[in-house]
Amino acid sequence: MGAVSLHWLLPGKGLTQEKVVVIMAAALFIGFSIFLTGFFSVSNLIGLVRNICVLGILGVGMGLVIIGRGIDLSVVSVLAISAAYFIELLGQGLPIWSGFLFVLMLVILVGAINGFLVAYGEIPPIFATLAMGLFVYGFGRSQLMGQDVAFIPPEFTTLLALGTLKLWGVPLEVFVFVAVCLVATVFLKFTKFGRYVYYIGDNFAAARNLGIPVRPMLVLQYVACALFASVAGAIVALNLQSMNTRIVNSTLLYDVILIVVLGGIGLSGGKGGIRNVVFGALLIGILVNAMTILDFEDTHQNLIKALILLAAIMTDTLLNQRDEQTEKQGDI
């Protein structure tokens, strides 16, 4: 069974960037487990899994957008403000479901505005989503939040219990991550709208000429990305029983882009899948966890992650040369 399920890793199938990432992740995990004190402890492994799940959920949303040849730099702002504002509403006495629906509408609105700016305003995604991310954080922090950190009120015992809930010894967020991956995989692989995402990412003009509703599809991609970001925010808030909006100033956004591209989803669009996100999240999650245990400075961590990204991309380029037809597609 194992040989069949891992047939794509066999040398005869060709070494790709995706396989390099899997091999590196496995090697790092084994090496750190043997030589790094505290890495293989139960508490650290649980923390590692939780971090991978948050990175992975954000990566799934980012992956959907990048496959469609876009990018969303507002995901961390959506993560932070959606969770913090929900907690703020609870503190103001709003019922859980009312607060949930209100924040959900705001998240959908942010995603729709991102998509509208890109699809109908024809603003480059990097600028549109960067501006929206800054606006969401600035507006949320100045108009919606009383302070940087929002704490879940102690009377909401159900929410507090969800943060520590485990099913069969497995943290709840693992099941959430698996569910997110399954939903995104089914969407991309087994629906016509998922195929539209690949067509748009591969050749925008051709997709439009085929009659594909490219503009509404772009809006849908950004709405989905915002929704996944809010799910990740909910997980972080439940785990910590609070949300620190200063997470927007961390390197989390960089890590999300890194796991997507490192896993094998090209920024040129039309390529990759959810499996690539999972592998990228595993590698970066393991690496960041080990560097944290070793007490590496943030600057050194960023340097190491950048070098790994460059190495993976260069390896893929060397092992998978572009053929003549692909070369022509890149000509101007």
Side-chain angles (χ1 to χ4, degrees), residues 138-208:
F139 181 81
R141 183 61 191 86
S142 63
Q143 304 299 318
L144 305 178
M145 305 296 303
Q147 53 188 359
D148 287 329
V149 184
F151 296 92
I152 297 178
E155 60 267 25
F156 290 93
T157 55
T158 302
L159 291 179
L160 296 174
L162 283 176
T164 58
L165 180 64
K166 295 180 183 178
L167 301 176
W168 304 289
V170 180
L172 179 62
E173 49 265 45
V174 174
F175 296 97
V176 176
F177 181 35
V178 171
V180 166
C181 290
L182 288 176
V183 168
T185 299
V186 170
F187 172 76
L188 285 174
K189 298 296 184 182
F190 302 105
T191 70
K192 67 177 182 179
F193 298 107
R195 291 191 291 272
Y196 289 168
V197 173
Y198 283 101
Y199 295 156
I200 293 170
D202 184 59
N203 193 317
F204 183 88
R208 183 168 51 190

Side-chain angles (χ1 to χ4, degrees), residues 76 250-259 301-303 305-307 309:
V76 179
S250 70
T251 60
L252 182 57
L253 176 61
Y254 172 81
D255 290 343
V256 174
I257 297 174
L258 180 59
I259 68 170
Q301 291 191 27
N302 292 336
L303 175 61
K305 287 184 286 187
L307 291 174
L309 173 61

Side-chain angles (χ1 to χ4, degrees), residues 85-96 152-153 155-156 159:
Y85 187 46
F86 175 69
I87 295 173
E88 190 82 2
L89 290 175
L90 296 182
Q92 295 172 6
L94 202 67
I96 290 180
I152 297 178
E155 60 267 25
F156 290 93
L159 291 179

